[in-house]
Amino acid sequence: PFSLKRSLHESDWERLILHSQYTKSLTISFDDHSQNQYEQLLSNMPSRAILPNLTSIHFRLLGGDEPPNSELIKLLLPTTVSFVEVEVPEVAEGSAEAVLDALAGVELPSLASFAIEIADFQASTRDLDSRMSQVLHTHQGIETLEINIYQYRTDEAICSAGRLPALRSLEVFSYGWEMAAGEPDIFSLPDNLFPVLHTLKLRGTPDSIKALSSRISSENLEIIDLYLEPSLDFEADSPAQNANCLLFSDRFPRLKTLVLHLQISVLEEALSPVLACRELETLRIGVGWSRTLWFSENTLARMGAAWPQLKTMDLTLFIDYHSNKYLGLTHLQVIARDFRSLVKLKVGFDATTKGNPGFKVEDAVTIADNELQELEVDWSLLDGIMERKIAHLFRAWWPKLRTVRCTEPLHFPYSYHWASVIEAFRNSNTEQTTLGGSVSHSA
């Protein structure tokens, strides 16, 4: 812990500054005890920045009766700083505002990344939003912005972020969006915001996410990561209500990565707008507890035809074997047939004999030009009969497959059966490596 036995003299500061030139990153915490210590320092501090080569600073604001001294904060912000993070893990009235005021009052020409995380509710929501907006207005060179807050209005800050000429990455992980979405502010944002945005990561209701996404003017958006959660009106959480939750995605034809965390009820038709994103390379879909999603064979075929460059696909469509409707081996066959560029696949499915009546492993056709190398089978069903056949099926569909994974513990249902399949591929890889090594040696 930091403590002072006496006031620092001018000679002490000279030695400290001499060594501080090597400091690149700093985390500093403020609470009542440390605030008193910092006040003792301030009276003897030099007028220039005490960390002349600092590039990264993390302010951790803990509970206290007094906010941090703004003059001290400014001394900790040399012009070399490129990353600033403000974290408020508990109630610290006025602390975030003090740091934001200091940030808005200094010139940081190198500042490229700003993050703020507030974990608890405080009353001065509008003032905080305005102060965040002022920080963004002052520092127009910001390229990466993260806003992770709880019950705070952020529409003014988001509007200012949308006008940043260099902003390429935006993350808004806000529990206050439901409150904002019920009022006109979030929907009255101007159009043509975020002109060069490349990466968008949002958490909120479908309406709030749609309201913000529809204002993006960038034609270069390549990564979208969405955490879709229901509104406070849970009765409105129905597939019909959420049918258009991804309607905005067809505005971004250059999209390469789409990640969906679904805490809402949706049907396969909700993904139809994404079919317009012909350059998609990565698709990850994960559903929340008690939610399920199912794709028909026709829909999977359409997805495969729409995304010829797709290399990574994660379809976690249910959790803990609670699905009423599983993908079967015929669905997996469509993936093998129509997703030829896939290199990594994670999918839960039913490979049991009972779940696949009439399916004959012996009729499987070899698909020589498939690129798949890694297959993860979490939450997949397998019985003893298919355990002895499934490796043959996988090798026919995916001749380049080298790794099969199941991350569930062995005591989970079906994991025991998958263990022998995983071992079969592991042994096959070992044999190939040995043969390859001996040939190389003899040559």
Side-chain angles (χ1 to χ4, degrees):
F2 176 74
S3 62
L4 290 174
K5 302 300 183 183
R6 61 172 176 80
S7 297
L8 291 178
H9 302 306
E10 185 175 349
S11 58
D12 297 323
W13 278 114
E14 292 299 328
R15 286 196 297 271
L16 177 62
I17 291 173
L18 176 65
H19 293 286
S20 69
Q21 64 181 313
Y22 303 108
T23 302
K24 302 292 186 180
S25 180
L26 174 69
T27 296
I28 183 166
S29 298
F30 286 94
D31 55 25
D32 281 339
H33 174 72
S34 62
Q35 179 69 10
N36 292 332
Q37 299 283 350
Y38 296 143
E39 291 292 342
Q40 293 181 48
L41 284 175
L42 191 59
S43 60
N44 292 295
M45 273 188 174
S47 57
R48 63 188 185 279
I50 59 174
L51 299 167
N53 295 313
L54 193 70
T55 59
S56 173
I57 186 165
H58 175 192
F59 294 100
R60 196 164 190 268
L61 310 177
L62 306 174
D65 296 328
E66 297 293 330
N69 186 291
S70 60
E71 294 304 315
L72 172 61
I73 295 172
K74 290 179 181 179
L75 286 174
L76 296 170
L77 293 169
T79 57
T80 53
V81 166
S82 60
F83 173 73
V84 174
E85 179 179 2
V86 180
E87 179 190 4
V88 189
E90 57 190 62
V91 174
E93 190 66 37
S95 294
E97 289 87 339
V99 174
L100 292 173
D101 285 344
L103 285 169
V106 296
E107 292 186 11
L108 299 174
S110 301
L111 185 61
S113 183
F114 176 63
I116 182 167
E117 178 180 355
I118 301 178
D120 212 333
F121 178 81
Q122 298 180 44
S124 54
T125 57
R126 178 57 66 188
D127 286 345
L128 189 68
D129 186 25
S130 177
R131 283 177 162 92
M132 284 193 292
S133 177
Q134 187 58 47
V135 170
L136 300 177
H137 179 74
T138 300
H139 303 290
Q140 291 287 293
I142 290 177
E143 299 176 5
T144 301
L145 174 64
E146 297 180 16
I147 301 175
N148 187 344
I149 60 178
Y150 177 79
Q151 293 289 359
Y152 276 93
R153 296 292 302 273
T154 58
D155 31 83
E156 186 176 345
I158 289 174
C159 188
S160 295
R163 296 192 174 97
L164 291 171
L167 188 69
R168 288 178 50 80
S169 178
L170 173 67
E171 176 179 337
V172 182
F173 196 81
S174 172
Y175 293 94
W177 275 40
E178 172 61 25
M179 177 175 62
E183 301 180 24
D185 294 32
I186 192 69
F187 296 113
S188 61
L189 288 171
D191 293 328
N192 300 317
L193 298 175
F194 308 101
V196 297
L197 198 66
H198 174 274
T199 301
L200 177 66
K201 186 174 183 179
L202 301 176
R203 173 174 179 165
T205 65
D207 285 344
S208 59
I209 287 177
K210 186 164 55 177
L212 175 55
S213 302
S214 63
R215 269 66 175 183
I216 297 174
S217 62
S218 173
E219 297 181 355
N220 300 312
L221 194 65
E222 293 188 2
I223 300 173
I224 294 180
D225 187 331
L226 303 179
Y227 189 105
L228 289 153
E229 56 189 3
S231 65
L232 296 180
D233 180 11
F234 289 101
E235 294 183 0
D237 179 35
S238 68
Q241 293 283 345
N242 298 323
N244 296 323
C245 62
L246 299 174
L247 191 61
F248 62 86
S249 60
D250 60 3
R251 297 179 54 246
F252 308 115
R254 297 181 181 176
L255 189 67
K256 287 183 168 49
T257 297
L258 177 63
V259 181
L260 300 174
H261 311 270
L262 299 176
Q263 300 293 333
I264 60 173
S265 301
V266 297
L267 297 177
E268 59 181 343
E269 291 81 7
L271 263 77
S272 293
V274 187
L275 299 179
C277 305
R278 301 281 297 174
E279 298 180 17
L280 199 67
E281 296 179 357
T282 299
L283 174 67
R284 301 185 189 278
I285 301 177
V287 301
W289 188 260
S290 78
R291 310 283 181 183
T292 60
L293 177 61
W294 184 82
F295 292 120
S296 67
E297 293 172 31
N298 287 338
T299 296
L300 286 171
R302 291 173 59 209
M303 292 162 62
W307 306 322
Q309 302 177 43
L310 197 70
K311 293 180 174 59
T312 299
M313 184 162 68
D314 178 350
L315 300 180
T316 304
L317 306 182
F318 53 87
I319 297 177
D320 198 19
Y321 311 111
H322 285 168
S323 176
N324 295 322
K325 206 171 185 182
Y326 288 90
L327 300 184
L329 290 177
T330 55
H331 296 84
L332 214 60
Q333 187 174 32
V334 172
I335 294 176
R337 183 192 70 202
D338 295 333
F339 291 79
R340 303 290 183 92
S341 297
L342 274 182
V343 177
K344 297 181 180 180
L345 172 64
K346 179 179 179 181
V347 60
F349 55 94
D350 183 350
T352 62
T353 308
K354 181 180 179 181
N356 296 274
F359 186 90
K360 295 183 178 180
V361 174
E362 296 77 13
D363 295 339
V365 177
T366 299
I367 307 176
D369 58 343
N370 254 335
E371 297 298 323
L372 194 72
Q373 297 179 23
E374 297 181 19
L375 174 64
E376 191 167 325
V377 296
D378 285 13
W379 310 121
S380 294
L381 284 61
L382 185 66
D383 59 20
I385 296 175
M386 290 301 296
E387 177 186 347
R388 296 188 292 271
K389 302 178 180 181
I390 198 77
H392 168 77
L393 186 65
F394 287 171
R395 288 192 175 101
W397 286 344
W398 299 298
K400 297 180 181 179
L401 183 63
R402 296 182 58 81
T403 304
V404 178
R405 292 193 181 95
C406 182
T407 62
E408 302 163 29
L410 279 177
H411 66 272
F412 274 36
Y414 310 103
S415 298
Y416 178 79
H417 293 301
W418 282 115
S420 65
V421 179
I422 293 168
E423 187 64 22
F425 275 89
R426 184 181 294 118
N427 292 338
S428 176
N429 291 335
T430 301
E431 292 172 5
Q432 291 178 20
T433 301
T434 303
L435 286 172
S438 63
V439 171
S440 174
H441 179 74
S442 63

